[in-house]
């Protein structure tokens, strides 16, 4: 069973003005599609094609680099699309808000630390909010690695992620990654993040 490009739950222009339609369309139909095609090619004929992408990520050290890069790309983007929504943003509520306050002091402080993880990731990669040993932790990974991977420096279950590859923001923000990360807060789907947080505990 081959992996497939997931459909987005919203239109390409739904996240404007924060993330532009052209970026969303290219990101989904070209970049994510390429990860799907390439991971399927890399796994073709192996019995790994019965596994979920999460299961593959958890044992990624046993696979060739093409699976790490493209399988990671497929998992990361599939998650990323669900973490954004139109008319979203604002602040988390309930248990998630309490856990963020407890782990980072305040929502404002959390936002600063999360953005810093994205800004300081050299080159291409991702910033993450993960559940690690029952606690919320901020981390970042290079390329298409993620915290599920057995090779990750900081391992855990992702509940929030932001893509800081230039392809995620360059058309609209050019070199201004910090501006993109600031705009990202306007599209964060906190309902989905809270769901992932609950499931991760
Ligand atoms: Mn991307």
């Amino acid at each position: 069973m081959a992996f497939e490009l997931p459909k987005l739950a919203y239109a390409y222009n739904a996240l404007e003005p924060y993330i532009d339609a052209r970026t969303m369309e290219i990101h989904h139909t070209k970049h994510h599609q390429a990860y799907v095609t390439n991971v399927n090619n890399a796994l073709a004929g192996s019995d790994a094609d019965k596994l979920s992408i999460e299961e593959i990520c958890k044992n990624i050290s046993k696979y060739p680099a093409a699976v790490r890069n493209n399988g990671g790309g497929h998992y990361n983007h599939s998650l990323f699309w669900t973490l954004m929504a139109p008319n979203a943003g604002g602040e988390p509520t309930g248990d998630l808000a309490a856990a963020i306050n407890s782990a980072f002091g305040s929502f404002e402080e959390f936002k600063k630390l999360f953005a810093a993880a994205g800004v300081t990731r050299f080159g291409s990669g991702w910033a993450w909010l993960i559940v690690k040993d029952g606690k919320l932790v901020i981390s970042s990974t290079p390329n298409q690695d993620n915290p599920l991977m057995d090779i990750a420096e900081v391992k855990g279950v992702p509940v929030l992620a932001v893509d800081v590859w230039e392809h995620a923001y360059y058309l609209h923000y050019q070199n201004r990654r910090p501006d993109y990360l600031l705009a990202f807060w306007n599209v964060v789907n906190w309902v989905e993040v809270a769901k992932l947080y609950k499931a991760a505990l």
Side-chain angles (χ1 to χ4, degrees), residues 34 51 85 97 102 107-109 151 159 179:
L51 301 175
S102 154
F107 182 59
E108 283 311 309
E109 193 56 26
I151 47 85
V159 298
D179 290 356

Side-chain angles (χ1 to χ4, degrees), residues 27 77 126 144 163 167:
H27 204 171
H77 289 84
W126 292 74
Q144 295 296 353
D163 188 345
H167 68 226

Side-chain angles (χ1 to χ4, degrees), residues 9 20 49 65 75 79 89 96 110 115 139 144-145 154 164 172 195 200:
D20 65 285
D49 65 358
Y75 170 83
L79 176 70
L96 175 61
F110 157 71
S139 72
Q144 295 296 353
D145 288 358
V154 184
V164 297
H172 189 73
K195 215 160 79 182

Side-chain angles (χ1 to χ4, degrees), residues 85-117:
N87 309 310
E91 296 195 15
T93 56
D95 290 349
L96 175 61
I100 286 175
N101 289 336
S102 154
F104 308 108
S106 68
F107 182 59
E108 283 311 309
E109 193 56 26
F110 157 71
K111 287 205 291 184
K112 262 187 239 166
L113 295 169
F114 185 83

Side-chain angles (χ1 to χ4, degrees), residues 13-85:
N13 66 2
L15 304 182
E16 290 199 348
Y18 309 110
I19 302 184
D20 65 285
R22 185 92 178 113
T23 295
M24 285 299 297
E25 184 172 3
I26 295 171
H27 204 171
H28 183 241
T29 63
K30 305 293 183 197
H31 292 275
H32 191 173
Q33 180 63 64
Y35 299 127
V36 170
T37 303
N38 292 335
V39 72
N40 285 337
N41 288 341
L43 291 173
S46 79
D47 38 351
D49 65 358
K50 293 178 193 71
L51 301 175
S52 71
I53 195 63
E54 288 84 356
E55 289 169 316
I56 290 172
C57 285
K58 285 174 186 170
N59 289 296
I60 205 70
S61 61
K62 298 188 175 72
Y63 293 89
V67 176
R68 176 173 169 179
N69 293 333
N70 295 288
H74 177 46
Y75 170 83
N76 296 349
H77 289 84
S78 299
L79 176 70
F80 185 48
W81 309 133
T82 69
L83 298 173
M84 300 185 290

